[in-house]
Amino acid sequence: MCGLLAYLSTDAERVDETRVDGVRHALHCLHHRGPDDTAVWSDGHTVLGFNRLSIIDVDGSPQPLPYAADRYRILFNGEIYNYLELREELRALGAEFATEGDTEAIVAGFHHWGPDVVTRLRGMFAFVIWDTATGTAFGARDPFGIKPLFTARLADGGVVLSSEKKALLELLGGSAGAGGVDPASLQQYLTLQYVPEPATMHRGIRRIESGTRFTVVGGELTTERYFHPVFAPARSPRAVSRSSTTGSPRPSTSRWPSTCGPTSPSGRSCPAASTPPRSRRWPTATTRT
Protein backbone atom coordinates (compact mmCIF):
# COMPACT_ATOMS: atom_id res chain seq x y z
CA MET A 1 0.00 0.00 0.00
CA CYS A 2 1.41 3.37 -1.08
CA GLY A 3 0.01 6.89 -1.22
CA LEU A 4 0.12 9.05 -4.34
CA LEU A 5 -0.85 12.69 -4.74
CA ALA A 6 -0.70 14.58 -8.04
CA TYR A 7 -1.47 18.19 -8.94
CA LEU A 8 -1.87 18.64 -12.71
CA SER A 9 -2.15 21.96 -14.55
CA THR A 10 -2.08 21.01 -18.21
CA ASP A 11 -3.49 24.26 -19.61
CA ALA A 12 -1.20 26.78 -17.86
CA GLU A 13 1.91 27.02 -15.73
CA ARG A 14 0.49 27.46 -12.25
CA VAL A 15 3.08 25.68 -10.13
CA ASP A 16 5.02 27.86 -7.69
CA GLU A 17 6.62 27.29 -4.31
CA THR A 18 3.31 27.82 -2.54
CA ARG A 19 1.66 25.05 -4.56
CA VAL A 20 4.60 22.69 -4.01
CA ASP A 21 4.51 23.33 -0.26
CA GLY A 22 0.75 22.74 -0.25
CA VAL A 23 1.13 19.34 -1.92
CA ARG A 24 4.00 18.41 0.40
CA HIS A 25 1.87 19.33 3.42
CA ALA A 26 -1.17 17.38 2.15
CA LEU A 27 1.08 14.39 1.48
CA HIS A 28 1.41 13.94 5.25
CA CYS A 29 -2.24 12.81 5.23
CA LEU A 30 -1.05 9.71 3.33
CA HIS A 31 1.98 8.92 5.45
CA HIS A 32 0.34 5.82 6.93
CA ARG A 33 0.11 4.33 3.43
CA GLY A 34 3.86 4.51 2.80
CA PRO A 35 6.22 5.12 5.72
CA ASP A 36 9.40 3.93 3.97
CA ASP A 37 10.03 6.92 1.71
CA THR A 38 8.54 10.31 0.87
CA ALA A 39 9.35 12.35 -2.22
CA VAL A 40 7.99 15.34 -4.16
CA TRP A 41 8.85 16.29 -7.74
CA SER A 42 7.59 19.29 -9.71
CA ASP A 43 7.87 21.32 -12.88
CA GLY A 44 5.88 24.28 -14.18
CA HIS A 45 2.72 22.22 -14.76
CA THR A 46 2.65 19.50 -12.14
CA VAL A 47 3.53 18.51 -8.61
CA LEU A 48 3.90 14.79 -7.89
CA GLY A 49 4.11 13.48 -4.33
CA PHE A 50 4.53 9.92 -3.11
CA ASN A 51 4.69 7.97 0.13
CA ARG A 52 6.19 4.55 -0.53
CA LEU A 53 5.78 1.19 1.16
CA SER A 54 8.67 -0.81 -0.29
CA ILE A 55 7.71 -4.34 -1.39
CA ILE A 56 9.36 -5.05 -4.76
CA ASP A 57 12.86 -3.76 -5.54
CA VAL A 58 13.14 -2.40 -2.03
CA ASP A 59 16.39 -0.50 -2.56
CA GLY A 60 15.44 0.76 -6.02
CA SER A 61 12.35 2.09 -7.84
CA PRO A 62 12.04 5.44 -6.01
CA GLN A 63 8.95 7.40 -6.95
CA PRO A 64 8.07 9.62 -8.73
CA LEU A 65 10.04 7.31 -11.02
CA PRO A 66 11.63 8.80 -14.18
CA TYR A 67 11.80 6.98 -17.51
CA ALA A 68 13.03 7.61 -21.07
CA ALA A 69 15.65 10.26 -20.19
CA ASP A 70 13.26 11.95 -17.74
CA ARG A 71 10.48 12.33 -20.29
CA TYR A 72 8.02 10.52 -18.02
CA ARG A 73 7.37 10.53 -14.29
CA ILE A 74 5.10 7.87 -12.80
CA LEU A 75 3.25 7.50 -9.50
CA PHE A 76 2.10 3.93 -8.91
CA ASN A 77 0.26 2.27 -6.06
CA GLY A 78 -0.26 -1.49 -6.26
CA GLU A 79 1.46 -4.59 -7.58
CA ILE A 80 1.78 -6.03 -11.10
CA TYR A 81 1.92 -9.82 -10.96
CA ASN A 82 3.18 -10.36 -14.52
CA TYR A 83 5.79 -7.61 -14.53
CA LEU A 84 8.66 -10.00 -15.21
CA GLU A 85 6.98 -11.25 -18.38
CA LEU A 86 6.20 -7.68 -19.45
CA ARG A 87 9.81 -6.64 -18.96
CA GLU A 88 10.94 -9.46 -21.25
CA GLU A 89 8.44 -8.43 -23.94
CA LEU A 90 9.54 -4.83 -23.67
CA ARG A 91 13.24 -5.72 -23.83
CA ALA A 92 12.49 -7.42 -27.15
CA LEU A 93 11.12 -4.05 -28.33
CA GLY A 94 14.29 -2.28 -27.27
CA ALA A 95 13.25 -1.05 -23.83
CA GLU A 96 15.95 -0.45 -21.25
CA PHE A 97 15.43 -0.69 -17.50
CA ALA A 98 17.27 1.01 -14.66
CA THR A 99 15.39 -0.79 -11.86
CA GLU A 100 14.21 -4.29 -11.01
CA GLY A 101 10.65 -3.35 -10.02
CA ASP A 102 7.17 -3.47 -11.52
CA THR A 103 6.71 0.31 -11.62
CA GLU A 104 9.13 0.75 -14.51
CA ALA A 105 7.35 -1.99 -16.48
CA ILE A 106 4.18 0.14 -16.51
CA VAL A 107 5.78 3.35 -17.75
CA ALA A 108 7.93 1.48 -20.29
CA GLY A 109 4.80 -0.27 -21.51
CA PHE A 110 3.05 3.07 -21.90
CA HIS A 111 6.01 4.39 -23.88
CA HIS A 112 5.85 1.45 -26.34
CA TRP A 113 2.17 0.46 -26.33
CA GLY A 114 0.40 3.66 -25.39
CA PRO A 115 -2.90 3.56 -23.46
CA ASP A 116 -3.36 -0.13 -24.34
CA VAL A 117 -0.74 -1.00 -21.75
CA VAL A 118 -3.56 -1.30 -19.20
CA THR A 119 -4.97 -4.34 -21.01
CA ARG A 120 -1.66 -6.15 -20.49
CA LEU A 121 -1.39 -5.54 -16.76
CA ARG A 122 -2.35 -8.33 -14.38
CA GLY A 123 -2.61 -7.09 -10.85
CA MET A 124 -4.00 -4.35 -8.66
CA PHE A 125 -3.05 -0.80 -9.52
CA ALA A 126 -3.75 2.90 -9.58
CA PHE A 127 -1.20 5.07 -11.37
CA VAL A 128 -0.57 8.46 -12.95
CA ILE A 129 2.03 9.06 -15.68
CA TRP A 130 3.14 12.61 -16.47
CA ASP A 131 4.54 13.17 -19.97
CA THR A 132 6.80 16.23 -19.95
CA ALA A 133 7.10 16.21 -23.75
CA THR A 134 3.37 16.62 -24.40
CA GLY A 135 2.35 18.25 -21.12
CA THR A 136 -0.36 15.62 -20.58
CA ALA A 137 -1.14 12.94 -18.03
CA PHE A 138 -2.38 9.37 -18.34
CA GLY A 139 -3.50 6.93 -15.68
CA ALA A 140 -5.80 4.05 -14.80
CA ARG A 141 -7.30 1.85 -12.10
CA ASP A 142 -7.32 -1.94 -12.07
CA PRO A 143 -10.39 -3.77 -13.43
CA PHE A 144 -11.90 -4.47 -10.00
CA GLY A 145 -10.97 -1.22 -8.30
CA ILE A 146 -8.80 -2.80 -5.62
CA LYS A 147 -6.60 0.31 -5.47
CA PRO A 148 -8.41 3.62 -4.89
CA LEU A 149 -8.01 6.88 -6.77
CA PHE A 150 -9.92 10.09 -6.02
CA THR A 151 -10.00 13.31 -8.02
CA ALA A 152 -11.08 16.93 -7.61
CA ARG A 153 -10.59 20.34 -9.21
CA LEU A 154 -9.02 23.16 -7.21
CA ALA A 155 -10.06 26.80 -7.34
CA ASP A 156 -7.12 27.69 -9.60
CA GLY A 157 -8.28 25.16 -12.22
CA GLY A 158 -5.75 22.45 -11.46
CA VAL A 159 -6.78 18.78 -11.35
CA VAL A 160 -5.68 16.77 -8.33
CA LEU A 161 -5.63 13.00 -7.82
CA SER A 162 -4.98 11.10 -4.62
CA SER A 163 -5.12 7.65 -3.06
CA GLU A 164 -7.39 9.01 -0.31
CA LYS A 165 -9.93 11.81 0.07
CA LYS A 166 -8.28 13.32 3.12
CA ALA A 167 -5.34 14.66 1.09
CA LEU A 168 -7.76 16.28 -1.37
CA LEU A 169 -9.77 17.80 1.47
CA GLU A 170 -6.53 19.29 2.78
CA LEU A 171 -5.86 20.94 -0.58
CA LEU A 172 -9.48 22.06 -0.94
CA GLY A 173 -9.57 23.65 2.49
CA GLY A 174 -11.94 21.22 4.16
CA SER A 175 -15.43 19.92 3.54
CA ALA A 176 -16.81 23.31 2.54
CA GLY A 177 -14.19 23.64 -0.17
CA ALA A 178 -15.27 20.24 -1.47
CA GLY A 179 -18.84 21.42 -1.92
CA GLY A 180 -20.15 19.95 1.32
CA VAL A 181 -21.96 16.66 1.79
CA ASP A 182 -23.81 15.35 -1.25
CA PRO A 183 -27.39 14.52 -0.13
CA ALA A 184 -27.79 11.90 -2.87
CA SER A 185 -24.61 10.13 -1.75
CA LEU A 186 -25.73 10.29 1.86
CA GLN A 187 -29.05 8.67 0.93
CA GLN A 188 -27.25 5.93 -0.99
CA TYR A 189 -24.97 5.27 1.95
CA LEU A 190 -27.84 5.02 4.41
CA THR A 191 -29.70 2.69 2.03
CA LEU A 192 -26.88 0.58 0.59
CA GLN A 193 -24.16 1.03 3.23
CA TYR A 194 -21.81 2.35 0.53
CA VAL A 195 -21.65 5.08 -2.12
CA PRO A 196 -21.58 3.76 -5.73
CA GLU A 197 -18.82 4.96 -8.06
CA PRO A 198 -17.94 7.55 -9.19
CA ALA A 199 -19.59 9.56 -6.43
CA THR A 200 -18.25 10.18 -2.93
CA MET A 201 -19.79 11.73 0.15
CA HIS A 202 -18.63 15.17 -1.07
CA ARG A 203 -20.00 16.98 -4.10
CA GLY A 204 -16.62 18.18 -5.30
CA ILE A 205 -14.69 14.90 -5.02
CA ARG A 206 -15.15 11.98 -7.38
CA ARG A 207 -13.54 8.59 -7.87
CA ILE A 208 -11.85 7.27 -10.97
CA GLU A 209 -14.02 4.22 -11.61
CA SER A 210 -12.66 0.69 -11.54
CA GLY A 211 -11.58 -0.65 -14.93
CA THR A 212 -11.18 2.90 -16.24
CA ARG A 213 -8.27 4.78 -17.79
CA PHE A 214 -8.06 8.55 -18.02
CA THR A 215 -6.18 11.46 -19.55
CA VAL A 216 -5.69 15.04 -18.43
CA VAL A 217 -5.26 17.24 -21.50
CA GLY A 218 -5.86 20.97 -21.82
CA GLY A 219 -7.05 21.17 -18.24
CA GLU A 220 -9.79 18.55 -18.73
CA LEU A 221 -9.92 15.07 -17.23
CA THR A 222 -11.48 12.51 -19.57
CA THR A 223 -12.21 8.90 -18.63
CA GLU A 224 -12.73 5.78 -20.72
CA ARG A 225 -13.75 2.31 -19.57
CA TYR A 226 -11.29 -0.32 -20.82
CA PHE A 227 -12.54 -3.34 -18.87
CA HIS A 228 -15.84 -4.96 -19.83
CA PRO A 229 -16.53 -8.26 -18.05
CA VAL A 230 -17.75 -11.06 -20.32
CA PHE A 231 -19.65 -14.02 -18.95
CA ALA A 232 -20.21 -17.35 -20.70
CA PRO A 233 -23.89 -17.83 -21.58
CA ALA A 234 -25.76 -20.28 -19.38
CA ARG A 235 -26.94 -23.50 -21.03
CA SER A 236 -30.69 -23.70 -21.40
CA PRO A 237 -32.63 -26.76 -20.10
CA ARG A 238 -33.54 -27.61 -23.71
CA ALA A 239 -29.86 -27.73 -24.67
CA VAL A 240 -29.12 -30.02 -21.72
CA SER A 241 -32.00 -32.34 -22.73
CA ARG A 242 -30.85 -32.39 -26.35
CA SER A 243 -27.30 -33.34 -25.34
CA SER A 244 -28.65 -36.27 -23.30
CA THR A 245 -30.47 -37.71 -26.35
CA THR A 246 -27.39 -37.57 -28.54
CA GLY A 247 -25.47 -40.09 -26.52
CA SER A 248 -23.73 -37.73 -24.08
CA PRO A 249 -23.27 -39.37 -20.69
CA ARG A 250 -25.78 -38.30 -18.11
CA PRO A 251 -24.81 -37.88 -14.48
CA SER A 252 -25.92 -40.74 -12.25
CA THR A 253 -28.84 -40.01 -9.96
CA SER A 254 -28.21 -43.03 -7.74
CA ARG A 255 -27.66 -42.30 -4.08
CA TRP A 256 -25.27 -45.21 -3.70
CA PRO A 257 -22.01 -46.31 -5.33
CA SER A 258 -22.34 -48.90 -8.07
CA THR A 259 -20.32 -51.37 -6.01
CA CYS A 260 -22.74 -51.33 -3.13
CA GLY A 261 -26.46 -51.92 -3.37
CA PRO A 262 -29.22 -54.51 -3.12
CA THR A 263 -28.02 -56.11 -6.38
CA SER A 264 -24.33 -55.39 -6.04
CA PRO A 265 -22.10 -57.49 -8.35
CA SER A 266 -19.94 -58.24 -5.35
CA GLY A 267 -22.90 -59.79 -3.54
CA ARG A 268 -22.43 -57.34 -0.69
CA SER A 269 -25.67 -55.95 0.59
CA CYS A 270 -26.28 -52.46 1.84
CA PRO A 271 -29.23 -52.49 4.20
CA ALA A 272 -29.44 -48.72 4.06
CA ALA A 273 -30.05 -48.88 0.32
CA SER A 274 -33.09 -51.14 0.67
CA THR A 275 -34.38 -49.83 3.95
CA PRO A 276 -35.56 -46.25 4.15
CA PRO A 277 -33.72 -44.32 6.84
CA ARG A 278 -35.65 -43.80 10.03
CA SER A 279 -36.53 -40.26 10.92
CA ARG A 280 -34.73 -39.06 14.00
CA ARG A 281 -36.85 -37.90 16.85
CA TRP A 282 -35.42 -35.45 19.28
CA PRO A 283 -36.44 -35.86 22.90
CA THR A 284 -39.12 -33.50 23.97
CA ALA A 285 -38.41 -31.04 26.72
CA THR A 286 -39.67 -32.02 30.15
CA THR A 287 -40.54 -29.73 32.96
CA ARG A 288 -39.23 -30.52 36.36
CA THR A 289 -41.36 -29.73 39.33
Side-chain angles (χ1 to χ4, degrees):
M1 181 172 68
C2 301
L4 67 85
L5 179 59
Y7 170 86
L8 305 170
S9 176
T10 57
D11 58 338
E13 290 192 8
R14 298 188 177 95
V15 174
D16 54 18
E17 286 300 321
T18 301
R19 176 57 63 197
V20 175
D21 290 342
V23 171
R24 183 178 287 109
H25 179 74
L27 194 59
H28 289 295
C29 298
L30 306 177
H31 179 73
H32 61 284
R33 297 184 65 91
D36 295 333
D37 185 37
T38 298
V40 176
W41 178 90
S42 65
D43 63 11
H45 291 273
T46 185
V47 185
L48 306 177
F50 195 75
N51 286 326
R52 185 187 182 202
L53 178 65
S54 303
I55 301 296
I56 298 177
D57 194 17
V58 174
D59 297 328
S61 300
Q63 295 190 46
L65 183 73
Y67 186 76
D70 291 340
R71 172 179 175 175
Y72 304 103
R73 292 276 173 168
I74 181 174
L75 300 175
F76 163 58
N77 171 35
E79 184 174 352
I80 305 301
Y81 308 137
N82 64 330
Y83 77 99
L84 293 175
E85 292 84 351
L86 292 176
R87 288 167 68 98
E88 291 303 315
E89 288 186 51
L90 290 163
R91 280 196 179 96
L93 297 176
E96 297 180 355
F97 296 95
T99 73
E100 299 297 328
D102 51 354
T103 304
E104 198 172 17
I106 300 174
V107 64
F110 175 70
H111 179 69
H112 287 275
W113 297 319
D116 287 339
V117 64
V118 295
T119 62
R120 297 172 177 262
L121 303 178
R122 300 293 178 265
M124 50 184 180
F125 54 84
F127 66 85
V128 181
I129 298 175
W130 173 248
D131 187 344
T132 61
T134 61
T136 61
F138 172 81
R141 278 185 76 195
D142 61 81
F144 300 103
I146 300 174
K147 293 301 179 180
L149 193 59
F150 297 84
T151 184
R153 184 177 293 277
L154 301 188
D156 66 357
V159 175
V160 285
L161 298 115
S162 176
S163 297
E164 293 188 15
K165 280 178 58 179
K166 59 182 67 176
L168 299 184
L169 289 171
E170 186 73 22
L171 291 172
L172 289 165
S175 180
V181 174
D182 186 346
S185 296
L186 178 59
Q187 183 180 24
Q188 289 173 331
Y189 179 78
L190 294 176
T191 304
L192 307 173
Q193 296 298 296
Y194 78 101
V195 178
E197 294 179 339
T200 73
M201 201 65 79
H202 288 89
R203 290 189 181 96
I205 300 178
R206 288 293 180 262
R207 283 177 288 181
I208 301 297
E209 296 184 65
S210 57
T212 297
R213 57 192 174 194
F214 64 90
T215 58
V216 184
V217 180
E220 296 298 327
L221 187 149
T222 304
T223 62
E224 177 190 14
R225 178 163 294 280
Y226 69 87
F227 176 72
H228 301 276
V230 177
F231 301 95
R235 299 180 65 188
S236 65
R238 178 176 297 180
V240 174
S241 177
R242 185 163 50 248
S243 65
S244 65
T245 59
T246 57
S248 301
R250 298 179 60 185
S252 173
T253 58
S254 173
R255 294 176 53 199
W256 311 107
S258 59
T259 56
C260 180
T263 59
S264 171
S266 63
R268 185 160 53 95
S269 61
C270 294
S274 56
T275 305
R278 293 183 300 173
S279 60
R280 175 175 293 177
R281 292 185 178 181
W282 299 99
T284 57
T286 58
T287 305
R288 293 185 178 181
T289 57

